[in-house]
Amino acid sequence: MIQLAALAAIREDLERVEAALLSISPPDYPELDNVIRDLVSAGGKRIRPALVLLAGRCNRYSPERLLDGAVSIELLHTATLVHDDTIDSAALRRGRATVNSYLPAKAAILIGDYIFAQAAMFASRPQHTSVISIFARTLMEICDGELRQMMGNHRAEVSRDDYYRRIYAKTAALFACATEIGAVLTDAPQRERRALRLYGEKLGMAFQVVDDVIDFSSTSEQAGKPVGSDLQQGTATLPTIIFLERASYPDGHAEAVRRALEGAPDADHARAVELIRESDALELAC
Amino acid sequence: MIQLAALAAIREDLERVEAALLSISPPDYPELDNVIRDLVSAGGKRIRPALVLLAGRCNRYSPERLLDGAVSIELLHTATLVHDDTIDSAALRRGRATVNSYLPAKAAILIGDYIFAQAAMFASRPQHTSVISIFARTLMEICDGELRQMMGNHRAEVSRDDYYRRIYAKTAALFACATEIGAVLTDAPQRERRALRLYGEKLGMAFQVVDDVIDFSSTSEQAGKPVGSDLQQGTATLPTIIFLERASYPDGHAEAVRRALEGAPDADHARAVELIRESDALELAC
């Protein structure tokens, strides 16, 4: 749960979100109760539910309606993470073993679908159909971005525009969804709803850029995943794009990074990460 | 599309469902347009949308609201099939190559999620939140059943009760959802809504039993998939359960079927299928 002072106003309601997340009815198989409970309780900083509640604070705050939206968005996020990790065969998430690392991929797909269903259930509770429309559109944007990333990976000529489009889908779409839902559930006027949506979007873009810089700058213990994991998977994030844009690096360096990104069999992945870490690309990205 | 005479009354509206299905906005990648269009257009008999429309006929028929529900349920069905085939590594569906057979599993997971999102979008359009609740509950029942099947496969002591619970989740839940949504979208009284839901459920149970018999009785050309594919995957359907219940078969026969179901390394799968085909189990199942 996030601990910023600015969040004091919603702390109690965030705790109610936490309790609601832990109460999602698990399927009939006791072996899976714990898996789903662990997944939901390992939930990181709860930024998205906090955004729903904070956006709601801008208007007539009504925790009952906002709570369902907040729980729903966190479940939607969790479901997409389960499928993402399965797709990427990722072993760690927030320092913990992923579901797909200890259960067959097929169980992970189904558990993701089950959590989607739970998200839809909570989204339907405030009796507000635009909430569902916003959710559905967001899920489409997320899938579209993932498909785009899958088709475009291992290419060294990724532009900043491609990158921004991708991180919009990956992160900013759900942030924008959170603030918009906060507005909708408190009957904010149209202009305010648009402004809050835009705020969420910009915050999400910034959040993802920082996350992508941390992927290079942190240690694997801090990040809970291997350093430079994006590059390893063939994904060019902003630091890599900036590094490749700058002609001033010695030629061999750009080539080494390019080959690592393209997954060349003889590429030295660790050296490519080191070259980016030691350059000014991380600073320029922020 | 189904061709029964009883469906004449809704034929035009079913054609509108078909057109709406083909118009779902495809993601940004042209390579995937055709995949998604093929998936949706290869859609079999359109029984579930027909059930929405027919259930709606029992009340104040209002095609506009019913159409969105009918499209939504077919998309939900399609999405679950894409994930099912990925989970089972199935090569054929309705005689056509499955998405997962020619694209990486990760693309198939995402395409399934994308179609889920489209289903949610259509479900939100009639501005009726109970439609979303019914959908969400149905998706949960489907996932729960799939998880149960996965955990329980390759067991020879499956009871009829287990089987009926499984086919409820696999088929009857969505049939019941279809008829209930038809009732809800035409503002049917509560008693009628319950009756229509029950009708859909019973029809779905019967439909799945017949489908499971056909898995044994047809040729692979007729079925568009290998004969006895359930047994091959370790799933005991009603014919297999009845076969194993009956003590009158020579012992070696039951043992051969049991070993095939349990996936024993030396099991003769083709012989096990033949034993069930030649027994009275298929007739008793119907």
Side-chain angles (χ1 to χ4, degrees):
Chain A
M1 218 184 280
I2 19 183
Q3 294 298 339
L4 299 178
L7 297 178
I10 56 161
R11 182 153 306 142
E12 265 180 40
D13 289 330
L14 266 185
E15 276 160 18
R16 290 168 69 191
V17 169
E18 202 68 27
L21 284 170
L22 286 175
S23 76
I24 68 167
S25 58
D28 229 3
Y29 257 87
E31 293 95 317
L32 295 173
D33 278 24
N34 289 338
V35 176
I36 292 180
R37 218 173 283 274
D38 270 9
L39 252 175
V40 172
S41 68
K45 297 174 286 293
R46 309 293 190 212
I47 295 176
R48 295 156 193 82
L51 285 174
V52 174
L53 298 172
L54 286 171
R57 279 266 160 205
C58 299
N59 291 288
R60 278 191 310 256
Y61 192 67
S62 141
E64 270 54 45
R65 301 176 83 192
L66 288 165
L67 281 175
D68 287 327
V71 171
S72 179
I73 202 156
E74 187 68 9
L75 291 173
L76 182 62
H77 176 57
T78 307
T80 62
L81 293 185
V82 172
H83 281 182
D84 275 9
D85 289 338
T86 308
I87 286 166
D88 297 340
S89 307
L92 289 176
R93 160 83 59 188
R94 297 169 180 145
R96 296 199 192 194
T98 55
V99 175
N100 52 286
S101 69
Y102 63 88
L103 284 180
K106 52 191 189 179
I109 299 175
L110 283 174
I111 288 172
D113 288 352
Y114 182 82
I115 300 175
F116 271 132
Q118 289 277 1
M121 189 65 106
F122 275 92
S124 72
R125 282 169 50 170
Q127 304 281 318
H128 210 309
T129 47
S130 28
V131 171
I132 296 286
S133 311
I134 298 167
F135 264 97
R137 195 188 58 213
T138 306
L139 182 55
M140 268 194 278
E141 288 172 339
I142 294 171
C143 294
D144 190 26
E146 288 266 354
L147 287 165
R148 180 194 303 276
Q149 172 162 353
M150 184 184 301
M151 313 298 268
N153 259 7
H154 298 294
R155 279 171 43 227
E157 0 55 87
V158 174
S159 70
R160 288 190 191 216
D161 272 358
D162 289 338
Y163 170 74
Y164 289 128
R165 214 172 296 128
R166 200 205 296 145
I167 69 171
Y168 169 76
K170 179 176 180 174
T171 304
L174 204 53
F175 275 54
C177 171
T179 46
E180 186 174 8
I181 281 176
V184 164
L185 287 175
T186 50
D187 300 318
Q190 196 61 34
R191 208 170 61 91
E192 214 169 293
R193 172 175 165 179
R194 272 199 304 273
L196 277 166
R197 178 175 171 82
L198 191 64
Y199 172 81
E201 181 185 324
K202 298 293 179 200
L203 186 69
M205 298 296 281
F207 182 89
Q208 189 56 51
V209 168
V210 170
D211 203 51
D212 289 344
V213 168
I214 291 173
D215 187 53
F216 284 100
S217 66
S218 66
T219 63
S220 59
E221 290 73 35
Q222 285 166 339
K225 59 183 178 178
V227 175
S229 60
D230 293 323
L231 187 68
Q232 185 138 37
Q233 283 163 34
T235 304
T237 58
L238 195 53
T240 305
I241 293 167
I242 290 177
F243 187 93
L244 291 174
E245 274 172 4
R246 289 169 70 78
S248 60
Y249 300 123
D251 265 355
H253 288 189
E255 189 54 25
V257 168
R258 197 169 281 120
R259 294 180 66 78
L261 186 61
E262 287 169 349
D266 59 343
D268 182 345
H269 172 74
R271 179 166 169 251
V273 172
E274 221 28 59
L275 286 170
I276 295 173
R277 278 168 78 109
E278 285 168 5
S279 76
D280 50 0
L282 300 192
E283 202 177 324
L284 288 167
C286 286
Chain B
M1 218 183 280
I2 18 184
Q3 296 295 340
L4 299 179
L7 297 178
I10 56 160
R11 181 153 305 143
E12 265 179 41
D13 289 329
L14 266 185
E15 277 159 18
R16 290 169 69 192
V17 169
E18 201 69 25
L21 285 169
L22 285 175
S23 76
I24 68 167
S25 59
D28 226 4
Y29 256 87
E31 293 95 316
L32 295 174
D33 279 23
N34 290 338
V35 176
I36 291 181
R37 220 172 282 276
D38 271 10
L39 251 176
V40 172
S41 68
K45 297 174 286 296
R46 308 295 189 211
I47 294 175
R48 293 156 195 84
L51 285 174
V52 174
L53 298 172
L54 287 170
R57 279 267 159 205
C58 300
N59 291 288
R60 279 191 310 255
Y61 191 65
S62 141
E64 270 54 45
R65 302 176 81 192
L66 288 166
L67 280 175
D68 287 327
V71 171
S72 180
I73 203 157
E74 188 67 9
L75 290 173
L76 182 63
H77 176 57
T78 306
T80 61
L81 292 185
V82 172
H83 280 182
D84 274 10
D85 288 339
T86 308
I87 286 166
D88 297 340
S89 307
L92 290 175
R93 159 84 58 187
R94 297 167 182 147
R96 296 199 192 194
T98 55
V99 175
N100 52 286
S101 69
Y102 63 89
L103 283 180
K106 52 190 188 179
I109 298 176
L110 283 174
I111 289 172
D113 288 352
Y114 183 82
I115 300 175
F116 271 132
Q118 289 277 0
M121 187 66 104
F122 275 91
S124 72
R125 282 170 49 170
Q127 304 281 318
H128 210 309
T129 47
S130 28
V131 171
I132 296 284
S133 311
I134 297 167
F135 264 96
R137 195 188 57 212
T138 306
L139 181 55
M140 268 193 279
E141 288 172 339
I142 293 171
C143 293
D144 188 27
E146 288 266 353
L147 287 166
R148 181 194 304 275
Q149 172 161 353
M150 183 184 302
M151 313 296 270
N153 259 7
H154 299 292
R155 281 171 42 228
E157 1 53 87
V158 174
S159 71
R160 289 191 190 215
D161 272 357
D162 290 337
Y163 170 76
Y164 289 128
R165 215 173 296 131
R166 202 204 296 143
I167 70 171
Y168 169 76
K170 179 177 179 171
T171 304
L174 203 53
F175 275 54
C177 171
T179 47
E180 186 174 8
I181 280 176
V184 164
L185 287 174
T186 50
D187 300 319
Q190 197 60 34
R191 210 171 58 91
E192 215 168 291
R193 172 176 166 180
R194 271 199 305 272
L196 278 166
R197 180 177 169 83
L198 192 63
Y199 173 80
E201 180 185 324
K202 298 290 179 204
L203 187 68
M205 298 296 282
F207 183 89
Q208 189 56 51
V209 167
V210 171
D211 203 53
D212 290 342
V213 168
I214 291 174
D215 186 54
F216 283 100
S217 65
S218 66
T219 64
S220 60
E221 290 74 33
Q222 286 166 338
K225 59 183 178 178
V227 174
S229 59
D230 292 324
L231 187 67
Q232 185 137 39
Q233 283 162 36
T235 304
T237 59
L238 194 55
T240 305
I241 293 168
I242 291 177
F243 187 92
L244 291 174
E245 275 172 4
R246 288 170 70 79
S248 59
Y249 301 121
D251 265 357
H253 288 188
E255 189 55 23
V257 168
R258 196 168 282 121
R259 294 180 66 77
L261 185 62
E262 288 169 349
D266 59 342
D268 183 345
H269 173 74
R271 178 165 171 253
V273 172
E274 223 26 62
L275 286 170
I276 295 173
R277 276 167 78 109
E278 285 167 4
S279 76
D280 50 1
L282 300 191
E283 202 178 323
L284 288 168
C286 286

